[in-house]
Amino acid sequence: LVLKSKINALYVWDVWNEEVIKISVNQMAYVVFYTQDTWLMPGQYIVVMRNGTHVNQVERTARRLRAKAAKRGYLIEIQQTYSGAFHGFLVKMSSDVLHMAVKLPHVEYIEEDSSIFAQSIPWNLQRILQNKHETGKYSPPNDGAKVGVYLLDTSVQVTHREIEDRVMVTDFNSVPEEDGVRVHRQASQCDSHGTHIAGVVSGRDSGVARGASVNSVRVLNCQGKGTVSGALAGLEYIQSSLMSQAIRPVILLLPFVGGFSRTLNAACRKMVESGAVLVAAAGNYNDDACLYSPASEPEVITVGAVNFADQPLSTGTTGTNAGRCVDVFAPGDDIISASSDCSTCFTTKSGTSQAAAHVAGIAAVLLNLNPNSSSAELLQQLLHHSVKQAINPEYLPLNHRLPTPNMVVALPDPTSTLTGQKDLLCRSVWSERSAAKGLATATARCRHSEEMLSCSSFSQNGARAGERVEERDGQKECVAVSGNGGQGVFAVARCCTGHKAQCQMLESPQRGADAECPPDHQLTGCSSSSSSGDASDSERPLHGIRRACPAKRDVTSYASCCHTSSLECRLKEHDSTGLSEQVEVSCEDSWTLTGCQGLSHGSVVRGAFALGNTCVVHTSGGDIGAAAIATCCRHRLSHKPSDH
């Protein structure tokens, strides 16, 4: 590193011995090197001429250098000459020619060419930051260094400066032959997708979690194509690797989709049960993500893509998949990351693969904070920190607007008090729509490690017979029932983690009777259903000394009751005004919405569902209206008995 130069001496910092040394140069030229060696462009040099050198002397020096190099068997290439701000030329040559170049007349010094970088944060990294006041600086809460990521993708160019020493290439390789007989298998082509994705996860400048280690497992060929059997073999390989050398916590990033595969979904589910977190791309087919694998597997965190304006990604005839199988959205348009064209090249790519890589990076940051979080708890944390209602629903397909979660991921706010596994966090899980006939059913389920704390239903025309809670194979199911003349109904389960409670769904002993919680239990939600197929209107829950879900005549009620000394719950209600067809009520910041009901004042209630921490009730309109009733719960701030 050059510190200072004079006519007869050059002062240089000796990096190895950590001291300044003086070199006599006697007006000879010298070569400038940098400590940022990963930014250097090997074999490309800027030759700078002394002040007063004429243009013809620059050209003469370049010709002389070419002749001297040729005599020694070296070929050089003059890329450009400079005669404005300074005099000199840019040359591509071997470092072995440097000693000849520095001795040429009129040469003052030679500088190795290097990369320069814009110092504003790329839009996607700026988008996931919540401490927006620190413009121009990407500063996540941590770098994810405790987390290992397995990337199932194409091969990766591990020598790229963005990911050098951060990616380990495993010995696994299960890919089909490329289509066609004239496929060129250049490294730049075969490494393109994997290199870019690895850069988004942990790249030095483009990465989300810059300390996370990435293990490359090749399941896609040079055309980005693989097989279900190859992906299954990759998962088998990872499972075996984790058993022999445990990496915890661990994330599996699956930036690919195929047609629906029961086997691939089951294998992904097994990996989650073994303790891994799986993050998958939703797919780029402008379609329902539930039609594809592994995106359709409920235990996998499935990611859709948005652009700079928080609109669902759309590129020509294709665009991000959406629907109830998508868990969250992330930046996926014009994402800057490592290019496999050279070790210092960058490029932009778009798609749900890039979006999934952002979520994998944020997941690494969250797991670095709470290493023991399960996949379900991690998803709840992701949703808690996400930006809510960021997407204009009009940009989503009409039939997917309600079931698609309107959330764009973000890193934790530095002021967040979320601690991880001990927090009561809930999300809504939608079913597919039932058949359009009376008493047809639709079913929504929580993840295995989540607890269902309430069940509600929604119908576009209001023809619904309510909802009920059933248990199958030890897991609760929210079952919505379509009413007579219905157009189909959705079931909406409220799924929660961090409650640390013993919960049960209790059914009223007979139609028209209350479903009542036992003493010392908290009521977290109410449901009701009608066996006749007629509309099932709710009654206001009881939340005093007696906690119960009342029912009208010929209606069965269901109460979700949880027993724990640390939980407290209360009701919050809001009436509609005027001709509004929608009424909302939200829980305060320190409370979590566990149950959502609509109470009719005469209007037809089309359904109720939780949207973030807000209870939303749709009605048929008119001037009669309805009320939205939210059940809000939290861990008790003190263990004193509650009056609620």
Side-chain angles (χ1 to χ4, degrees):
L1 174 65
V2 176
L3 298 179
K4 181 180 178 182
S5 63
K6 294 183 178 180
I7 297 223
N8 297 317
L10 177 66
Y11 295 87
V12 178
W13 175 253
D14 185 340
V15 176
W16 300 110
N17 297 312
E18 297 184 345
E19 62 181 3
V20 175
I21 58 175
K22 177 181 177 182
I23 301 175
S24 177
V25 294
N26 297 323
Q27 297 191 18
M28 290 183 64
Y30 54 89
V31 181
V32 179
F33 298 97
Y34 295 90
T35 55
Q36 299 95 331
D37 56 348
T38 58
W39 295 2
L40 296 176
M41 302 183 69
Q44 191 159 297
Y45 300 92
I46 302 168
V47 179
V48 180
M49 314 298 284
R50 295 195 183 106
N51 288 334
T53 304
H54 299 294
V55 174
N56 60 347
Q57 291 174 317
V58 174
E59 295 174 349
R60 191 179 306 124
T61 301
R63 290 196 299 269
R64 191 170 180 179
L65 176 59
R66 185 184 293 112
K68 280 180 169 288
K71 285 183 180 179
R72 301 289 182 90
Y74 295 101
L75 294 178
I76 70 170
E77 182 180 351
I78 306 299
Q79 299 285 304
Q80 185 176 347
T81 58
Y82 305 94
S83 58
F86 76 99
H87 285 185
F89 55 90
L90 177 67
V91 57
K92 274 195 170 184
M93 63 183 181
S94 167
S95 58
D96 295 336
V97 183
L98 274 175
H99 72 284
M100 289 183 274
V102 296
K103 294 177 182 178
L104 291 173
H106 310 297
V107 173
E108 182 175 1
Y109 65 89
I110 298 174
E111 178 179 321
E112 191 167 14
D113 201 2
S114 62
S115 301
I116 60 175
F117 307 95
Q119 292 306 291
S120 60
I121 304 177
W123 81 265
N124 50 301
L125 296 184
Q126 182 68 36
R127 185 66 187 87
I128 64 175
L129 282 175
Q130 297 204 45
N131 51 335
K132 297 292 194 294
H133 59 280
E134 292 190 39
T135 55
K137 182 181 180 183
Y138 177 69
S139 52
N142 62 72
D143 63 0
K146 298 178 183 177
V147 182
V149 178
Y150 279 91
L151 172 60
L152 287 80
D153 207 311
T154 64
S155 52
V156 176
Q157 185 191 116
V158 294
T159 57
H160 196 285
R161 68 162 298 276
E162 273 291 279
I163 56 177
E164 192 174 18
D165 300 326
R166 299 172 186 226
V167 177
M168 185 193 80
V169 177
T170 68
D171 57 2
F172 181 85
N173 191 329
S174 179
V175 299
E177 287 293 321
E178 285 78 7
D179 298 330
V181 295
R182 295 186 178 181
V183 175
H184 296 289
R185 297 182 178 87
Q186 303 101 325
S188 62
Q189 181 185 31
C190 297
D191 300 346
S192 176
H193 193 266
T195 302
H196 195 268
I197 295 300
V200 175
V201 175
S202 65
R204 283 181 170 85
D205 292 302
S206 59
V208 176
R210 298 172 181 179
S213 60
V214 177
N215 300 275
S216 171
V217 178
R218 192 179 183 214
V219 297
L220 303 178
N221 66 15
C222 295
Q223 296 171 320
K225 180 179 179 181
T227 62
V228 169
S229 59
L232 292 170
L235 294 175
E236 186 87 3
Y237 171 84
I238 295 171
Q239 178 77 358
S240 176
S241 299
L242 293 175
M243 290 178 65
S244 61
Q245 185 177 359
I247 301 175
R248 289 290 187 274
V250 65
I251 297 169
L252 273 61
L253 176 54
L254 316 173
F256 58 82
V257 297
F260 181 85
S261 167
R262 179 179 174 182
T263 309
L264 181 55
N265 282 8
C268 290
R269 188 162 59 250
K270 284 287 188 182
M271 293 298 297
V272 173
E273 290 172 1
S274 69
V277 172
L278 271 65
V279 179
N284 305 326
Y285 300 103
N286 199 26
D287 203 352
D288 184 353
C290 293
L291 301 177
Y292 302 86
S293 288
S296 56
E297 170 50 44
E299 297 292 326
V300 168
I301 299 174
T302 299
V303 187
V306 293
N307 63 14
F308 179 83
D310 285 336
Q311 297 175 359
L313 177 64
S314 179
T315 53
T317 58
T318 65
T320 180
N321 287 350
R324 65 186 181 88
C325 287
V326 174
D327 292 302
V328 73
F329 286 84
D333 188 31
D334 285 336
I335 305 302
I336 299 174
S337 185
S339 167
S340 57
D341 289 336
C342 75
S343 61
T344 56
C345 294
F346 287 78
T347 189
T348 60
K349 291 181 182 291
S350 303
T352 54
S353 291
Q354 281 67 31
H358 281 81
V359 171
I362 295 176
V365 171
L366 291 173
L367 284 174
N368 211 75
L369 292 169
N370 301 293
N372 295 322
S373 295
S374 68
S375 179
E377 290 167 337
L378 178 68
L379 173 58
Q380 294 280 9
Q381 293 167 35
L382 280 167
L383 299 180
H384 175 82
H385 294 298
S386 293
V387 180
K388 316 298 190 296
Q389 306 307 305
I391 303 170
N392 185 339
E394 293 184 3
Y395 290 106
L396 291 167
L398 181 60
N399 59 326
H400 290 314
R401 285 180 186 174
L402 285 175
T404 301
N406 195 329
M407 300 184 185
V408 177
V409 291
L411 287 160
D413 189 304
T415 62
S416 173
T417 58
L418 189 73
T419 58
Q421 296 167 290
K422 297 180 180 179
D423 299 280
L424 176 63
L425 299 175
C426 299
R427 67 187 183 105
S428 294
V429 176
W430 287 66
S431 70
E432 60 182 336
R433 187 168 61 179
S434 74
K437 61 181 182 180
L439 301 182
T441 60
T443 302
R445 302 175 186 86
C446 298
R447 292 187 171 207
H448 279 86
S449 54
E450 293 174 324
E451 182 72 47
M452 187 187 299
L453 294 190
S454 69
C455 168
S456 61
S457 61
F458 177 81
S459 169
Q460 289 287 358
N461 71 344
R464 60 187 186 89
E467 62 281 331
R468 62 178 182 265
V469 179
E470 298 178 351
E471 188 165 318
R472 180 179 299 178
D473 299 327
Q475 186 179 14
K476 296 184 182 72
E477 296 182 337
C478 174
V479 181
V481 184
S482 179
N484 296 323
Q487 299 175 349
V489 67
F490 294 93
V492 187
R494 193 63 173 164
C495 304
C496 306
T497 59
H499 50 86
K500 304 299 182 185
Q502 297 176 349
C503 301
Q504 55 185 322
M505 284 287 182
L506 298 178
E507 182 179 339
S508 58
Q510 60 189 32
R511 287 183 219 163
D514 297 350
E516 186 171 354
C517 290
D520 301 325
H521 281 63
Q522 293 289 338
L523 177 64
T524 61
C526 291
S527 306
S528 62
S529 66
S530 168
S531 59
S532 66
D534 297 326
S536 171
D537 291 329
S538 300
E539 292 286 297
R540 182 180 284 102
L542 303 177
H543 257 266
I545 297 175
R546 182 168 172 262
R547 300 178 178 95
C549 298
K552 291 186 176 181
R553 185 178 179 182
D554 295 328
V555 171
T556 303
S557 62
Y558 303 85
S560 174
C561 306
C562 295
H563 175 62
T564 175
S565 60
S566 66
L567 193 67
E568 60 179 334
C569 300
R570 68 184 184 185
L571 293 184
K572 191 173 181 185
E573 183 175 338
H574 181 68
D575 288 314
S576 60
T577 57
L579 302 178
S580 173
E581 294 187 354
Q582 180 172 310
V583 57
E584 301 178 356
V585 62
S586 300
C587 297
E588 288 89 350
D589 287 343
S590 61
W591 296 77
T592 300
L593 179 68
T594 62
C596 175
Q597 290 175 256
L599 182 64
S600 174
H601 294 324
S603 297
V604 174
V605 175
R606 292 188 286 162
F609 53 87
L611 198 62
N613 218 30
T614 299
C615 174
V616 180
V617 175
H618 285 241
T619 72
S620 59
D623 57 358
I624 303 174
I629 302 176
T631 302
C632 305
C633 299
R634 69 178 179 183
H635 287 299
R636 205 184 307 276
L637 300 180
S638 67
H639 292 296
K640 296 178 181 179
S642 172
D643 295 330
H644 297 295

